[in-house]
Short mmCIF file of all heavy atoms in Angstrom, two decimals:
data_model
loop_
_atom_site.label_atom_id
_atom_site.label_comp_id
_atom_site.label_asym_id
_atom_site.label_seq_id
_atom_site.Cartn_x
_atom_site.Cartn_y
_atom_site.Cartn_z
N GLU A 41 41.96 1.52 -23.52
CA GLU A 41 40.75 1.98 -22.80
C GLU A 41 41.04 1.90 -21.31
O GLU A 41 40.12 2.09 -20.53
CB GLU A 41 39.56 1.05 -23.11
CG GLU A 41 39.09 1.28 -24.54
CD GLU A 41 37.64 0.84 -24.68
OE1 GLU A 41 37.12 0.12 -23.78
OE2 GLU A 41 37.02 1.20 -25.68
N HIS A 157 -5.65 29.32 20.45
CA HIS A 157 -5.97 28.09 19.75
C HIS A 157 -5.97 26.89 20.68
O HIS A 157 -6.73 25.95 20.52
CB HIS A 157 -5.09 27.84 18.58
CG HIS A 157 -5.30 28.85 17.49
ND1 HIS A 157 -4.55 29.95 17.37
CD2 HIS A 157 -6.25 28.89 16.53
CE1 HIS A 157 -4.98 30.67 16.31
NE2 HIS A 157 -6.02 30.01 15.78
N SER A 160 -8.15 29.30 24.89
CA SER A 160 -9.27 30.28 24.99
C SER A 160 -10.41 29.97 24.04
O SER A 160 -11.58 29.97 24.43
CB SER A 160 -8.73 31.68 24.80
OG SER A 160 -7.85 32.01 25.85
N ASP A 172 -5.82 23.46 34.33
CA ASP A 172 -4.87 22.67 35.13
C ASP A 172 -4.95 21.16 34.77
O ASP A 172 -4.14 20.35 35.13
CB ASP A 172 -5.15 22.75 36.65
CG ASP A 172 -4.86 24.19 37.13
OD1 ASP A 172 -4.12 24.89 36.39
OD2 ASP A 172 -5.38 24.56 38.18
N THR A 201 -10.91 28.80 9.36
CA THR A 201 -10.55 29.03 7.96
C THR A 201 -11.41 28.26 6.94
O THR A 201 -11.31 28.44 5.74
CB THR A 201 -9.09 28.59 7.67
OG1 THR A 201 -8.92 27.23 8.13
CG2 THR A 201 -8.08 29.46 8.45
N ASN A 217 3.76 18.60 30.52
CA ASN A 217 4.81 18.62 31.46
C ASN A 217 4.57 17.53 32.54
O ASN A 217 4.08 17.79 33.62
CB ASN A 217 4.84 19.98 32.13
CG ASN A 217 6.08 20.21 32.97
OD1 ASN A 217 6.92 19.25 33.07
ND2 ASN A 217 6.18 21.33 33.62
N ALA A 219 6.03 13.89 34.57
CA ALA A 219 7.21 13.06 34.83
C ALA A 219 7.11 11.81 33.98
O ALA A 219 6.02 11.22 33.88
CB ALA A 219 7.24 12.68 36.28
N ARG A 246 -22.12 8.77 17.87
CA ARG A 246 -22.07 7.41 18.34
C ARG A 246 -21.82 6.40 17.24
O ARG A 246 -20.97 5.54 17.34
CB ARG A 246 -23.35 7.07 19.11
CG ARG A 246 -23.28 5.78 19.83
CD ARG A 246 -24.54 5.40 20.57
NE ARG A 246 -24.28 4.19 21.39
CZ ARG A 246 -24.19 2.94 20.89
NH1 ARG A 246 -24.33 2.77 19.59
NH2 ARG A 246 -23.94 1.94 21.66
N LYS A 295 -9.11 -4.60 34.20
CA LYS A 295 -9.36 -4.52 35.62
C LYS A 295 -10.71 -5.16 36.00
O LYS A 295 -11.44 -4.67 36.82
CB LYS A 295 -9.27 -3.11 36.16
CG LYS A 295 -7.94 -2.46 35.89
CD LYS A 295 -7.65 -1.24 36.76
CE LYS A 295 -6.45 -0.48 36.31
NZ LYS A 295 -6.67 0.43 35.17
N THR A 335 -4.28 3.88 21.87
CA THR A 335 -4.95 2.98 20.90
C THR A 335 -3.99 1.79 20.57
O THR A 335 -4.44 0.64 20.45
CB THR A 335 -5.33 3.76 19.65
OG1 THR A 335 -6.05 4.89 20.04
CG2 THR A 335 -6.21 2.90 18.70
#
Side-chain angles (χ1 to χ4, degrees):
E41 288 203 345
H157 292 96
S160 297
D172 296 341
T201 54
N217 189 3
R246 189 180 187 285
K295 302 199 189 79
T335 309

